[in-house]
Amino acid sequence: MLYVSEIFHSIQGESTYAGVPCVFVRLAGCNLRCTWCDTTYAFHDGRPMTIEQVLEEVGRYACRTVELTGGEPLLQREAVALMAALLERGYRVLLETSGSLPVDEVPDGVVRILDVKCPGSGESERNCWENLDRLRPGDELKFVVRDRGDYAWAAALVRDLALHERATVLFSPVHGECDPADLARWILDDGLPVRLQVQVHKVIWPGALRGV
C-alpha cells in the first residue's frame, strides 16, 4: 500500500526534462523540513492506494513520462516496486528525492534526481553523502540555492568532488528569495560547469500550489 498526496498531469518544471509533459505521483510523508519547502501539504496524510490503483490512474493520461516525488518518496518501501512496475509498462520514470536516504535500491532505468541540501535549507546535515558514490549515467544532482552563501558552498562541493563529471548538476534559485539573474551571474563569473534551473511551472502558473 502507498500513501499518495496527489496524482496529476502537468509540465515538468525542473531538471533537464523541464518543459516535458509528465504525470506526477506525489507520495505523502517527508523526513525533512527545509526552510523553503513549497509542498508542506504533502508532509502528512495521503490516500491509501495499491500499486495497481496508481498504475490505473497514471494510465488515464496520454503521457509516457512519470515522476515520483513528494514529500520524500523513498520513505515508502512500495515506491521501489511502483517504479519497477512503471518501467515494465514502458514508461520513462523519474525520481525526485531529497538525497537524505540511500538510493541504491532504485531500479536501473530510473532517472534519479537527487537534491544536495545546502545550508540555507536547514537540512544540510541530513545529506546522505554515500549517494554520491552511487551515481550512475543519467542521474542528476540539484542544489537549491537560497543566497550567496549557499552558492559558495555548492560551488566548492562541485569543484572539490568534480561532481559535474559524474552527473548533470543543476543550480536552482529558491523562488522569491534568490534572484535567478544573480545566480546566473555568479555561475558565469566563476565559469562553473553547472546548469541553471528555474522552476518553469511557477512561471506558467504563478501562485499555484497543487496540481502543477
Side-chain angles (χ1 to χ4, degrees), residues 77-104:
R77 290 288 304 170
E78 288 298 303
V80 171
L82 174 59
M83 287 183 276
L86 288 164
L87 288 171
E88 288 174 3
R89 285 158 177 76
Y91 287 99
R92 175 168 59 186
V93 183
L94 316 179
L95 169 69
E96 175 80 29
T97 174
S98 68
S100 64
L101 299 174
V103 296
D104 49 310

mmCIF file of all heavy atoms in Angstrom, residues 77-104:
data_model
loop_
_atom_site.group_PDB
_atom_site.id
_atom_site.type_symbol
_atom_site.label_atom_id
_atom_site.label_comp_id
_atom_site.label_asym_id
_atom_site.label_seq_id
_atom_site.Cartn_x
_atom_site.Cartn_y
_atom_site.Cartn_z
ATOM 1 N N ARG A 77 8.383 2.029 1.266
ATOM 2 C CA ARG A 77 9.051 0.883 0.660
ATOM 3 C C ARG A 77 8.426 0.485 -0.672
ATOM 4 O O ARG A 77 9.131 0.035 -1.582
ATOM 5 C CB ARG A 77 8.995 -0.307 1.622
ATOM 6 C CG ARG A 77 9.846 -0.150 2.850
ATOM 7 C CD ARG A 77 11.318 -0.261 2.547
ATOM 8 N NE ARG A 77 11.668 -1.505 1.870
ATOM 9 C CZ ARG A 77 12.851 -1.757 1.343
ATOM 10 N NH1 ARG A 77 13.795 -0.837 1.389
ATOM 11 N NH2 ARG A 77 13.091 -2.914 0.756
ATOM 12 N N GLU A 78 7.131 0.639 -0.807
ATOM 13 C CA GLU A 78 6.456 0.231 -2.031
ATOM 14 C C GLU A 78 6.782 1.130 -3.220
ATOM 15 O O GLU A 78 6.451 0.803 -4.353
ATOM 16 C CB GLU A 78 4.943 0.203 -1.814
ATOM 17 C CG GLU A 78 4.472 -0.952 -0.947
ATOM 18 C CD GLU A 78 4.788 -2.306 -1.567
ATOM 19 O OE1 GLU A 78 4.355 -2.560 -2.705
ATOM 20 O OE2 GLU A 78 5.477 -3.111 -0.917
ATOM 21 N N ALA A 79 7.450 2.252 -2.963
ATOM 22 C CA ALA A 79 7.825 3.145 -4.066
ATOM 23 C C ALA A 79 8.761 2.443 -5.042
ATOM 24 O O ALA A 79 8.689 2.652 -6.254
ATOM 25 C CB ALA A 79 8.474 4.414 -3.523
ATOM 26 N N VAL A 80 9.650 1.608 -4.517
ATOM 27 C CA VAL A 80 10.587 0.881 -5.384
ATOM 28 C C VAL A 80 9.824 -0.072 -6.300
ATOM 29 O O VAL A 80 10.090 -0.156 -7.504
ATOM 30 C CB VAL A 80 11.628 0.123 -4.540
ATOM 31 C CG1 VAL A 80 12.474 -0.800 -5.417
ATOM 32 C CG2 VAL A 80 12.520 1.114 -3.798
ATOM 33 N N ALA A 81 8.862 -0.782 -5.746
ATOM 34 C CA ALA A 81 8.050 -1.697 -6.551
ATOM 35 C C ALA A 81 7.221 -0.934 -7.577
ATOM 36 O O ALA A 81 7.025 -1.413 -8.710
ATOM 37 C CB ALA A 81 7.142 -2.519 -5.640
ATOM 38 N N LEU A 82 6.724 0.241 -7.221
ATOM 39 C CA LEU A 82 5.960 1.048 -8.169
ATOM 40 C C LEU A 82 6.843 1.477 -9.336
ATOM 41 O O LEU A 82 6.432 1.404 -10.501
ATOM 42 C CB LEU A 82 5.381 2.271 -7.463
ATOM 43 C CG LEU A 82 4.677 3.285 -8.376
ATOM 44 C CD1 LEU A 82 3.520 2.644 -9.131
ATOM 45 C CD2 LEU A 82 4.184 4.487 -7.562
ATOM 46 N N MET A 83 8.057 1.921 -9.046
ATOM 47 C CA MET A 83 8.959 2.326 -10.123
ATOM 48 C C MET A 83 9.254 1.156 -11.056
ATOM 49 O O MET A 83 9.277 1.308 -12.288
ATOM 50 C CB MET A 83 10.254 2.907 -9.540
ATOM 51 C CG MET A 83 10.089 4.284 -8.944
ATOM 52 S SD MET A 83 11.652 5.008 -8.337
ATOM 53 C CE MET A 83 11.750 4.279 -6.700
ATOM 54 N N ALA A 84 9.461 -0.020 -10.481
ATOM 55 C CA ALA A 84 9.716 -1.205 -11.296
ATOM 56 C C ALA A 84 8.512 -1.526 -12.182
ATOM 57 O O ALA A 84 8.664 -1.864 -13.366
ATOM 58 C CB ALA A 84 10.056 -2.400 -10.397
ATOM 59 N N ALA A 85 7.315 -1.392 -11.627
ATOM 60 C CA ALA A 85 6.101 -1.679 -12.402
ATOM 61 C C ALA A 85 5.922 -0.674 -13.535
ATOM 62 O O ALA A 85 5.493 -1.034 -14.642
ATOM 63 C CB ALA A 85 4.883 -1.661 -11.474
ATOM 64 N N LEU A 86 6.242 0.574 -13.291
ATOM 65 C CA LEU A 86 6.142 1.590 -14.338
ATOM 66 C C LEU A 86 7.143 1.312 -15.459
ATOM 67 O O LEU A 86 6.817 1.441 -16.645
ATOM 68 C CB LEU A 86 6.379 2.977 -13.739
ATOM 69 C CG LEU A 86 5.255 3.528 -12.859
ATOM 70 C CD1 LEU A 86 5.753 4.709 -12.028
ATOM 71 C CD2 LEU A 86 4.063 3.957 -13.719
ATOM 72 N N LEU A 87 8.356 0.924 -15.088
ATOM 73 C CA LEU A 87 9.354 0.586 -16.103
ATOM 74 C C LEU A 87 8.885 -0.598 -16.944
ATOM 75 O O LEU A 87 9.049 -0.613 -18.179
ATOM 76 C CB LEU A 87 10.689 0.248 -15.441
ATOM 77 C CG LEU A 87 11.472 1.411 -14.833
ATOM 78 C CD1 LEU A 87 12.647 0.875 -14.028
ATOM 79 C CD2 LEU A 87 11.966 2.392 -15.901
ATOM 80 N N GLU A 88 8.297 -1.585 -16.311
ATOM 81 C CA GLU A 88 7.826 -2.767 -17.028
ATOM 82 C C GLU A 88 6.752 -2.416 -18.048
ATOM 83 O O GLU A 88 6.620 -3.085 -19.078
ATOM 84 C CB GLU A 88 7.272 -3.789 -16.032
ATOM 85 C CG GLU A 88 8.342 -4.479 -15.199
ATOM 86 C CD GLU A 88 7.751 -5.370 -14.134
ATOM 87 O OE1 GLU A 88 6.502 -5.496 -14.076
ATOM 88 O OE2 GLU A 88 8.532 -5.939 -13.347
ATOM 89 N N ARG A 89 6.008 -1.350 -17.781
ATOM 90 C CA ARG A 89 4.954 -0.918 -18.701
ATOM 91 C C ARG A 89 5.453 0.086 -19.736
ATOM 92 O O ARG A 89 4.667 0.658 -20.479
ATOM 93 C CB ARG A 89 3.773 -0.349 -17.905
ATOM 94 C CG ARG A 89 2.960 -1.454 -17.233
ATOM 95 C CD ARG A 89 2.156 -0.937 -16.058
ATOM 96 N NE ARG A 89 1.340 -1.991 -15.471
ATOM 97 C CZ ARG A 89 1.796 -2.965 -14.699
ATOM 98 N NH1 ARG A 89 3.078 -3.023 -14.408
ATOM 99 N NH2 ARG A 89 0.985 -3.882 -14.226
ATOM 100 N N GLY A 90 6.751 0.299 -19.761
ATOM 101 C CA GLY A 90 7.342 1.112 -20.809
ATOM 102 C C GLY A 90 7.370 2.604 -20.555
ATOM 103 O O GLY A 90 7.641 3.382 -21.471
ATOM 104 N N TYR A 91 7.128 3.024 -19.316
ATOM 105 C CA TYR A 91 7.190 4.448 -19.000
ATOM 106 C C TYR A 91 8.644 4.901 -18.807
ATOM 107 O O TYR A 91 9.495 4.114 -18.378
ATOM 108 C CB TYR A 91 6.433 4.752 -17.707
ATOM 109 C CG TYR A 91 4.926 4.691 -17.829
ATOM 110 C CD1 TYR A 91 4.222 3.552 -17.427
ATOM 111 C CD2 TYR A 91 4.207 5.764 -18.339
ATOM 112 C CE1 TYR A 91 2.839 3.485 -17.530
ATOM 113 C CE2 TYR A 91 2.820 5.715 -18.445
ATOM 114 C CZ TYR A 91 2.142 4.571 -18.043
ATOM 115 O OH TYR A 91 0.776 4.515 -18.151
ATOM 116 N N ARG A 92 8.891 6.148 -19.158
ATOM 117 C CA ARG A 92 10.125 6.794 -18.714
ATOM 118 C C ARG A 92 9.867 7.271 -17.287
ATOM 119 O O ARG A 92 8.926 8.038 -17.044
ATOM 120 C CB ARG A 92 10.474 7.972 -19.621
ATOM 121 C CG ARG A 92 11.695 8.757 -19.144
ATOM 122 C CD ARG A 92 12.199 9.716 -20.197
ATOM 123 N NE ARG A 92 11.193 10.678 -20.605
ATOM 124 C CZ ARG A 92 11.353 11.547 -21.601
ATOM 125 N NH1 ARG A 92 12.476 11.564 -22.301
ATOM 126 N NH2 ARG A 92 10.394 12.400 -21.918
ATOM 127 N N VAL A 93 10.705 6.831 -16.344
ATOM 128 C CA VAL A 93 10.439 7.067 -14.925
ATOM 129 C C VAL A 93 11.517 7.962 -14.335
ATOM 130 O O VAL A 93 12.716 7.670 -14.441
ATOM 131 C CB VAL A 93 10.368 5.738 -14.145
ATOM 132 C CG1 VAL A 93 10.025 5.998 -12.679
ATOM 133 C CG2 VAL A 93 9.340 4.795 -14.775
ATOM 134 N N LEU A 94 11.074 9.040 -13.704
ATOM 135 C CA LEU A 94 11.956 9.955 -12.991
ATOM 136 C C LEU A 94 11.664 9.848 -11.499
ATOM 137 O O LEU A 94 10.522 9.622 -11.090
ATOM 138 C CB LEU A 94 11.717 11.410 -13.438
ATOM 139 C CG LEU A 94 11.566 11.705 -14.930
ATOM 140 C CD1 LEU A 94 11.311 13.198 -15.144
ATOM 141 C CD2 LEU A 94 12.776 11.250 -15.705
ATOM 142 N N LEU A 95 12.693 10.023 -10.701
ATOM 143 C CA LEU A 95 12.542 10.054 -9.245
ATOM 144 C C LEU A 95 13.141 11.342 -8.727
ATOM 145 O O LEU A 95 14.321 11.628 -8.952
ATOM 146 C CB LEU A 95 13.257 8.863 -8.602
ATOM 147 C CG LEU A 95 13.398 8.925 -7.074
ATOM 148 C CD1 LEU A 95 12.045 8.769 -6.391
ATOM 149 C CD2 LEU A 95 14.384 7.868 -6.577
ATOM 150 N N GLU A 96 12.341 12.123 -8.021
ATOM 151 C CA GLU A 96 12.827 13.338 -7.353
ATOM 152 C C GLU A 96 12.938 13.012 -5.867
ATOM 153 O O GLU A 96 11.928 12.760 -5.190
ATOM 154 C CB GLU A 96 11.849 14.495 -7.564
ATOM 155 C CG GLU A 96 12.202 15.765 -6.817
ATOM 156 C CD GLU A 96 13.267 16.606 -7.501
ATOM 157 O OE1 GLU A 96 13.357 16.548 -8.730
ATOM 158 O OE2 GLU A 96 13.994 17.329 -6.784
ATOM 159 N N THR A 97 14.173 13.007 -5.350
ATOM 160 C CA THR A 97 14.390 12.635 -3.957
ATOM 161 C C THR A 97 15.242 13.680 -3.251
ATOM 162 O O THR A 97 16.086 14.330 -3.882
ATOM 163 C CB THR A 97 15.052 11.245 -3.853
ATOM 164 O OG1 THR A 97 15.389 10.964 -2.486
ATOM 165 C CG2 THR A 97 16.302 11.151 -4.703
ATOM 166 N N SER A 98 15.046 13.799 -1.968
ATOM 167 C CA SER A 98 15.752 14.803 -1.172
ATOM 168 C C SER A 98 17.235 14.507 -1.035
ATOM 169 O O SER A 98 18.001 15.363 -0.608
ATOM 170 C CB SER A 98 15.134 14.882 0.224
ATOM 171 O OG SER A 98 15.384 13.678 0.940
ATOM 172 N N GLY A 99 17.644 13.277 -1.345
ATOM 173 C CA GLY A 99 19.047 12.908 -1.172
ATOM 174 C C GLY A 99 19.422 12.573 0.250
ATOM 175 O O GLY A 99 20.596 12.382 0.555
ATOM 176 N N SER A 100 18.423 12.448 1.115
ATOM 177 C CA SER A 100 18.699 12.143 2.523
ATOM 178 C C SER A 100 18.634 10.653 2.816
ATOM 179 O O SER A 100 19.016 10.224 3.906
ATOM 180 C CB SER A 100 17.697 12.875 3.421
ATOM 181 O OG SER A 100 16.372 12.397 3.181
ATOM 182 N N LEU A 101 18.149 9.870 1.844
ATOM 183 C CA LEU A 101 18.005 8.428 2.018
ATOM 184 C C LEU A 101 18.791 7.697 0.931
ATOM 185 O O LEU A 101 18.956 8.222 -0.178
ATOM 186 C CB LEU A 101 16.525 8.025 1.955
ATOM 187 C CG LEU A 101 15.611 8.639 3.018
ATOM 188 C CD1 LEU A 101 14.165 8.270 2.742
ATOM 189 C CD2 LEU A 101 16.030 8.179 4.415
ATOM 190 N N PRO A 102 19.255 6.491 1.207
ATOM 191 C CA PRO A 102 20.018 5.747 0.202
ATOM 192 C C PRO A 102 19.181 5.491 -1.055
ATOM 193 O O PRO A 102 17.976 5.219 -0.975
ATOM 194 C CB PRO A 102 20.354 4.433 0.908
ATOM 195 C CG PRO A 102 20.261 4.739 2.367
ATOM 196 C CD PRO A 102 19.182 5.765 2.502
ATOM 197 N N VAL A 103 19.837 5.558 -2.211
ATOM 198 C CA VAL A 103 19.139 5.361 -3.487
ATOM 199 C C VAL A 103 19.571 4.061 -4.168
ATOM 200 O O VAL A 103 19.222 3.821 -5.323
ATOM 201 C CB VAL A 103 19.395 6.548 -4.443
ATOM 202 C CG1 VAL A 103 18.805 7.831 -3.878
ATOM 203 C CG2 VAL A 103 20.882 6.707 -4.738
ATOM 204 N N ASP A 104 20.291 3.211 -3.468
ATOM 205 C CA ASP A 104 20.862 2.028 -4.101
ATOM 206 C C ASP A 104 19.821 1.007 -4.535
ATOM 207 O O ASP A 104 20.095 0.180 -5.416
ATOM 208 C CB ASP A 104 21.901 1.366 -3.171
ATOM 209 C CG ASP A 104 21.388 1.162 -1.760
ATOM 210 O OD1 ASP A 104 20.860 2.118 -1.168
ATOM 211 O OD2 ASP A 104 21.517 0.036 -1.246
#
